[in-house]
Amino acid sequence: MKLEGKVALVTGSSQGIGQGIVLRLAQEGAKVVINYRSHPEGAEETLEKVKAIGGNCYVAKCYAAECPNESSNPQGYTVQADLGNVAEIRQLIAESIAHFGQLDILVNNAGIEKHAPFWEVSEADYDAVMNVNLKGVFFATQAMVQHLKDTQRPGKIINISSVHEELPFPNFTAYCASKGGMRMLTRNLAIELAPLGITVNNVAPGAIETPINTQLLNNPEKLGALLHNIPLGRLGQPQDVASLVAFLASGEASYITGSTIVVDGGLLWNYQEQ
Ligand code: BGC
């Protein structure tokens, strides 16, 4: 197992790619903190799946009002936090460290997108997207780095970005701006944090079958057009992303920092003349 003795926090892990990452890291022997904002039932489901594979985690009391997973037989740990709220982010990191005594791996996975033509985007939607996708990542990473500095230990930061840190996506301009920002955050921090033994990398998924895509998945015409653009001819699955995250989180990736690795079935650089 690649991650024995390591502790990981995966933000936004009540569903989709985040849930897949939690499972994979747990399979590799890591203790994992499951974080959710508004889907306690999804966090519970992630927890049950971790238990089913014999994952080595703990359940702790959530600081937020609701905590569905308090248990006298602890095998997982879920924490509610809104990744757009800096106070909650700091509390999330502090509570993860308090429960496991350390944090070695931070996977900044939580992300949202809002579909709207540019001229109709509201300030509230812009703020929601940028707060979760960029500000949340900035301050979660800052709190994690402070912990690693204080304890003089190395660490791994893995950001779940998107092919849209590179590729235009009309009607999702705030989302693209947040992912483009994430790309530069990663490059910058890779340099600034290297002397501390901290690596920072982006994983950039293409079209993965998750709840963020529900509308698209339910629209056969749009889905067909998208599949036509994917050379490997299928949507990705959360485990396609999770296996790369497990690798980047391990010692096998110790010389990789400041990189973006795409997991997209060839979508990003697909160009063909018919
Ligand atoms: C977005 C999806 C989109 C995919 C491929 C992802 O970053 O979240 O909505 O389908 O990129 O374009």
Side-chain angles (χ1 to χ4, degrees):
M1 288 200 281
K2 288 191 178 83
L3 302 173
E4 198 87 60
K6 303 290 184 196
V7 180
L9 164 62
V10 183
T11 67
S13 42
S14 60
Q15 59 184 12
I17 293 173
Q19 185 179 80
I21 293 170
V22 164
L23 291 177
R24 185 58 204 265
L25 299 186
Q27 265 167 358
E28 295 292 345
K31 295 178 182 174
V32 190
V33 180
I34 299 160
N35 154 254
Y36 66 97
R37 179 183 54 157
S38 48
H39 297 293
E41 65 293 338
E44 179 74 15
E45 186 190 289
T46 311
L47 184 71
E48 289 306 319
K49 289 185 174 176
V50 170
K51 280 189 196 172
I53 58 168
N56 183 13
C57 319
Y58 299 95
V59 174
K61 202 167 91 163
C62 299
Y63 55 81
E66 250 181 322
C67 183
N69 297 315
E70 234 178 313
S71 151
S72 55
N73 179 23
Q75 288 205 18
Y77 178 40
T78 73
V79 182
Q80 185 190 22
D82 178 351
L83 267 294
N85 179 314
V86 175
E88 288 196 27
I89 290 167
R90 291 187 174 138
Q91 210 167 341
L92 168 65
I93 302 282
E95 195 166 325
S96 305
I97 294 163
H99 280 275
F100 289 112
Q102 68 190 67
L103 203 51
D104 307 282
I105 301 156
L106 170 64
V107 183
N108 286 309
N109 168 74
I112 57 173
E113 65 186 29
K114 308 262 184 189
H115 179 279
F118 175 68
W119 50 91
E120 283 176 16
V121 175
S122 67
E123 185 180 352
D125 280 355
Y126 173 91
D127 284 346
V129 169
M130 296 302 274
N131 284 350
V132 174
N133 296 10
L134 194 54
K135 184 169 146 189
V137 172
F138 188 105
F139 286 101
T141 304
Q142 187 187 61
M144 166 74 166
V145 167
Q146 195 61 56
H147 162 66
L148 294 173
K149 257 177 112 262
D150 291 348
T151 53
Q152 296 194 312
R153 289 167 40 254
K156 306 267 189 190
I157 313 286
I158 299 158
N159 299 321
I160 307 304
S161 173
S162 165
V163 286
H164 300 297
E165 70 165 49
E166 195 82 60
L167 183 70
F169 195 14
N171 300 306
F172 291 91
T173 296
Y175 181 76
C176 290
S178 73
K179 297 302 183 180
M182 186 180 243
R183 181 179 60 186
M184 284 313 295
L185 182 116
T186 291
R187 290 183 184 177
N188 228 61
L189 293 185
I191 296 165
E192 197 170 339
L193 303 180
L196 303 175
I198 301 170
T199 62
V200 192
N201 290 292
N202 280 8
V203 170
I208 311 295
E209 203 173 328
T210 71
I212 208 171
N213 277 328
T214 307
Q215 271 186 328
L216 175 91
L217 297 173
N218 292 331
N219 182 327
E221 203 180 318
K222 280 191 175 173
L223 183 59
L226 173 62
L227 286 173
H228 184 73
N229 282 331
I230 303 176
L232 287 181
R234 67 167 176 91
L235 294 176
Q237 295 299 318
Q239 54 269 30
D240 292 318
V241 179
S243 53
L244 175 60
V245 173
F247 168 70
L248 288 173
S250 77
E252 291 179 86
S254 59
Y255 200 57
I256 302 176
T257 196
S259 292
T260 291
I261 302 172
V262 294
V263 184
D264 70 345
L267 169 73
L268 176 58
W269 297 117
N270 182 19
Y271 172 76
Q272 302 175 44
E273 288 193 14
Q274 300 306 324

